[in-house]
């Protein structure tokens, strides 16, 4: 049988994305610092900071970890929530850009900003419901997560390191990187099998990045599992019950 | 949203410039006035438009690259506005030159009027097309930009006519009153609509946890960020309310009093001040869904 073209499978071209497991994230900010380090020292120029050691430090970040408290005390749960550009499949930030500096790559679905074309009008940041874009106050251009596009295709790096810096840094492997249009990729499988969901689905942006929900490990016991309901004669119950003072098995034998 | 003075000035100044031109165009097509009135009016309109254009440059991080913003007119209303504004200015200039040279002005007028309307649509749609800014995502947004621009332009025309060509002044004042009343009603309609809006995005959809009680503990930065600076006006509720009462008084009722009593110049100045407050409120009123991610700092 001939190979089925991609389009027939209902999948478009490659769409690289991150799948972030909120069940595993411990909120350590390692992804934030590794992202800052890699993208600060890369070809695209610095991710500038203002007043980094002062009282009101501020700066440009591609990735931030936020923390939320769900529920009411004492029944609360802490959710650490890493947030970066979601590389939407219908990115609302791209069509509004007047210069074409914001674009979505056809070959891998990464949404990028051409820093040489950006005029710093901030309209794209208004058009992003997630607040994923930040204006660099020093370079005066809009910046956002690039999925480490200068890293993931770098043939000089060992294959295992051709991943975004945040993914490599995560100590709990809460970040999965891959092509979510490839049904066999780890990322697509995680979305499919672990209830991966998109943020703010109400706006139809179809974010490529997905989040895996927090899960509670619990066990449900039914009464028939505590008592032998399958013993119709109740034979066990008829056996003489030893008195409290009688020696137990431990007292009469050594194992 | 944080109101940017560059954008407030851009939208109010070019709105008045467009409205003033439309007022002149109406007199050119259906009335009579000396050429010097039209030329002077076009000059004032061009000064307003150029003022807006200059203000807009202060909004850019890289104003020297502004020419690039004409590129994406197929998809971006901002790009369309960037193209239509200089075209409209050129059309107004050509129309004024035609009057100066005593040429037939009908076709100059038709082209410039169409560009003026197109510019109103472009400016309004820049805001109305952002669907998750629910306060802006309504046909009332371009309608209000158009009507408020026409009202302030007609008031300016009444002021100019009182000074340069008094026979036209009463007609312009009457038209300014009618346009002002209409604009006021449409703006009130937008206020009423927005007061009843329910945000589609909630903390639950923002982080995808289905729970009615979600409180932010930390936003990933201690000293604020672009997200906290650009999307919050940071003013107390009293200031926002004061801005609303100020524009509700200044956009129509007070200028109407001055127009009726025959003082069109103070009427225009008051109305323009009102429009600045109106535009400030327009931005401050809009709640961006990204703010859900920036509720608490520590």
């Amino acid at each position: 049988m001939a190979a089925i073209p991609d389009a027939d499978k209902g999948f478009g071209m490659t769409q690289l994305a991150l799948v972030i497991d909120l069940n595993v994230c411990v909120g350590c900010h390692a992804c934030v610092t590794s992202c800052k380090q890699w993208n600060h020292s890369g070809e695209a120029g610095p991710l500038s900071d203002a007043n980094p050691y002062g009282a009101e430090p501020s700066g440009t970040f591609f990735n931030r970890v936020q923390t939320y408290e769900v529920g009411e005390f004492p029944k609360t749960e802490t959710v650490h929530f890493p947030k970066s550009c979601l590389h939407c499949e219908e990115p609302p930030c791209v069509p509004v850009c007047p210069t074409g500096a914001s674009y979505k790559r056809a070959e891998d679905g990464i949404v990028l900003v051409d820093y040489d074309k950006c005029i710093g009008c901030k309209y794209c940041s208004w058009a992003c419901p997630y607040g994923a874009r930040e204006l660099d106050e020093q370079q005066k251009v809009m910046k956002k997560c690039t999925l480490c596009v200068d890293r993931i295709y770098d043939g000089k790096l060992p294959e295992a390191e051709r991943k975004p810096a945040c993914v490599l840094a995560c100590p709990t492997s809460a970040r999965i990187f891959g092509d979510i249009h490839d049904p066999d990729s780890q990322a697509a499988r995680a979305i499919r099998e672990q209830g991966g969901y998109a943020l703010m689905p109400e706006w139809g942006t179809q974010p490529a990045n997905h989040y895996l929900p927090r899960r509670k490990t619990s066990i449900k016991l039914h009464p028939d599992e505590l008592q032998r309901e399958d013993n119709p004669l109740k034979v066990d119950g008829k056996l003489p019950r030893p008195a409290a003072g009688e020696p137990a098995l431990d007292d009469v034998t050594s194992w | 949203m944080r109101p940017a003075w560059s954008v407030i000035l851009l939208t109010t100044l070019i709105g008045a410039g467009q409205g003033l031109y439309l007022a002149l165009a109406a007199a050119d097509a259906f009335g009579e006035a000396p050429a010097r009135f039209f030329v002077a009016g076009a000059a004032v309109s061009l000064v307003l438009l150029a003022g807006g254009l200059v203000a807009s440059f202060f909004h850019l991080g890289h104003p020297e690259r502004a020419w690039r913003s004409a590129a994406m007119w197929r998809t971006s209303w901002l790009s369309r506005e960037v193209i239509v504004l200089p075209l409209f200015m050129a059309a107004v200039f050509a129309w004024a030159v035609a009057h100066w040279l005593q040429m037939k002005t009908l076709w100059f007028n038709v082209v410039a009027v169409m560009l003026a309307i197109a510019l109103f649509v472009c400016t309004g749609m820049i805001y109305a097309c952002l669907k998750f800014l629910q306060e802006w995502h309504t046909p009332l947004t371009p309608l209000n930009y158009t009507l408020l621009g026409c009202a302030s332009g007609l008031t300016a025309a009444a002021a100019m006519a009182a000074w340069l060509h008094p026979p036209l002044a009463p007609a312009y004042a009457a038209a300014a009153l009618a346009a002002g009343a209409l604009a006021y009603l449409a703006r009130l309609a937008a206020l009423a609509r927005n007061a009843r809006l329910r945000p589609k995005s909630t903390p639950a959809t923002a982080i995808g946890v289905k729970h009615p009680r979600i409180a932010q503990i930390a936003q990933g930065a201690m000293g604020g960020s672009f997200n906290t600076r650009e999307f919050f006006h940071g003013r107390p509720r009293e200031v926002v309310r004061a801005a609303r009462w100020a524009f509700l008084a200044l956009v129509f009722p007070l200028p109407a009093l001055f127009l009726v009593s025959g003082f069109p110049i103070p009427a225009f100045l008051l109305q323009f001040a009102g429009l600045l407050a109106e535009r400030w409120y327009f931005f401050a009123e809009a709640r961006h869904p990204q703010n859900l991610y920036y509720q608490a700092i520590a």
Side-chain angles (χ1 to χ4, degrees):
Chain A
M1 221 172 88
I4 305 163
D6 271 351
D8 290 355
K9 282 196 276 182
F11 292 102
M13 301 275 283
T14 306
Q15 173 65 62
L16 296 180
L18 295 170
V19 178
I20 298 167
D21 192 344
L22 297 183
N23 200 44
V24 179
C25 176
V26 293
C28 71
H29 291 247
C31 53
V32 178
T33 50
S34 63
C35 164
K36 182 85 171 179
Q37 189 278 329
W38 176 263
N39 290 294
H40 184 73
S41 37
E43 289 169 31
L47 285 179
S48 61
D49 289 321
N51 205 19
Y53 304 107
E56 298 269 302
S58 179
T60 315
F61 285 79
F62 288 171
N63 179 33
R64 298 190 187 262
V65 176
Q66 307 189 321
T67 302
Y68 294 85
E69 190 177 74
V70 178
E72 206 154 350
F73 184 82
K75 282 187 181 171
T76 53
E77 197 170 329
T78 303
V79 177
H80 298 296
F81 178 78
K83 181 167 92 73
S84 56
C85 170
L86 305 171
H87 299 278
C88 299
E89 306 211 32
E90 294 291 338
C93 53
V94 167
V96 301
C97 175
T99 68
S102 278
Y103 62 104
K104 185 173 177 70
R105 306 210 319 173
E107 62 267 38
D108 54 15
I110 302 181
V111 177
L112 289 175
V113 180
D114 185 337
Y115 299 155
D116 294 329
K117 278 190 190 166
C118 176
I119 58 172
C121 72
K122 302 181 244 179
Y123 192 27
C124 58
S125 71
W126 295 8
C128 171
Y130 307 102
R133 291 167 164 256
E134 299 186 15
L135 188 87
D136 190 302
E137 297 294 348
Q138 195 181 319
Q139 272 181 292
K140 297 286 179 196
V141 294
M142 199 52 76
K143 300 206 167 172
K144 58 176 283 303
C145 163
T146 66
L147 277 182
C148 285
V149 71
D150 53 345
R151 184 177 176 106
I152 57 178
Y153 296 111
D154 189 348
K156 286 176 291 188
L157 290 172
E159 180 117 28
E161 285 179 29
R162 290 179 211 161
K163 286 178 179 175
C166 57
V167 175
L168 293 170
C170 181
T172 60
S173 302
R175 304 172 78 91
I176 306 166
F177 169 66
D179 174 12
I180 59 161
H181 283 187
D182 170 7
D184 298 324
S185 74
Q186 193 197 349
R189 231 181 308 127
I191 295 171
R192 200 166 59 234
E193 292 168 5
Q194 297 179 60
Y197 63 86
L199 304 182
M200 292 188 188
E202 59 272 23
W203 303 120
T205 53
Q206 298 184 42
N209 280 14
H210 281 69
Y211 287 79
L212 304 182
R214 286 175 64 77
R215 301 175 286 280
K216 281 232 173 81
T217 310
S218 59
I219 185 163
K220 180 142 176 92
L221 287 176
H222 297 275
D224 62 336
E225 291 164 324
L226 295 172
Q227 208 166 18
R228 286 193 61 180
E229 296 284 332
D230 58 346
N231 187 356
L233 296 175
K234 302 282 186 209
V235 183
D236 295 353
K238 283 177 185 168
L239 288 174
R241 193 173 263 254
E246 281 183 37
L249 193 57
D250 285 343
D251 301 325
V252 296
T253 181
S254 63
W255 295 95
Chain B
M1 301 286 294
R2 159 155 306 194
W5 282 106
S6 49
V7 179
I8 292 175
L9 284 171
L10 163 73
T11 55
T12 49
L13 284 171
I14 65 171
Q18 287 158 266
L20 174 56
Y21 176 74
L22 289 176
L24 299 170
D28 188 16
F30 308 112
E32 266 187 32
R36 67 184 176 90
F37 174 69
F38 288 130
V39 173
V44 173
S45 166
L46 282 171
V47 166
L48 291 168
L49 293 165
L53 187 60
V54 169
S56 74
F57 275 86
F58 287 93
H59 189 65
L60 303 182
H62 281 277
E64 79 282 2
R65 298 178 186 164
W67 59 273
R68 287 187 178 276
S69 55
M72 300 307 279
W73 55 273
R74 285 181 196 82
T75 59
S76 170
W77 284 105
L78 178 53
S79 188
R80 289 169 198 161
E81 186 192 41
V82 163
I83 294 170
V84 174
L85 174 55
L87 280 183
F88 173 61
M89 291 174 73
V92 173
F93 184 74
W95 175 83
V97 169
H99 269 293
W100 183 265
L101 300 175
Q102 310 281 334
M103 290 162 61
K104 284 206 169 208
T105 54
L106 176 64
W107 287 107
F108 290 101
N109 205 356
V110 168
V111 170
V113 165
M114 286 187 350
L115 285 169
I117 293 165
L119 186 52
F120 275 130
V121 173
C122 288
T123 309
M125 283 307 292
I126 287 176
Y127 308 99
C129 77
L130 302 173
K131 61 180 167 187
F132 41 79
L133 277 160
Q134 290 171 264
E135 289 84 354
W136 296 351
H137 186 57
T138 157
L140 287 170
T141 299
L143 183 71
N144 277 322
Y145 272 80
T146 309
L147 289 178
L148 290 167
C150 288
S152 64
L154 281 161
T155 315
M160 286 210 57
W163 176 36
L164 288 173
H165 188 58
L168 268 181
Y172 273 144
L177 283 173
L182 207 58
Y184 200 64
L185 285 179
R187 193 63 182 90
L188 287 176
L191 279 181
R193 168 194 181 268
N194 290 351
R196 281 185 292 117
L197 274 184
R198 296 193 65 190
K200 275 191 193 168
S201 288
T202 61
T205 69
I207 68 170
V209 176
K210 306 274 185 292
H211 197 288
R213 227 196 89 93
I214 298 174
Q216 188 166 33
I217 305 289
Q219 59 177 240
M222 298 289 284
S225 58
F226 173 74
N227 306 78
T228 58
R229 291 188 293 269
E230 180 74 7
F231 299 96
F232 295 87
H233 54 76
R235 306 281 174 177
R237 206 176 297 163
E238 293 75 35
V239 174
V240 180
R241 218 175 289 153
R244 189 178 60 205
W245 284 115
F247 93 70
L248 284 177
L250 288 171
V251 158
F252 179 64
L254 275 176
L257 275 181
F258 278 88
L259 275 174
V260 170
S261 33
F263 297 108
I265 293 176
F268 175 73
L269 294 176
L270 281 177
Q271 189 168 45
F272 193 77
L275 283 179
L276 293 178
E278 187 274 333
R279 225 33 61 89
W280 188 92
Y281 183 81
F282 173 78
F283 284 100
E285 181 194 34
R287 288 163 296 176
H288 199 290
Q290 80 105 39
N291 294 2
L292 292 170
Y293 297 107
Y294 296 90
Q295 293 294 315
I297 259 194

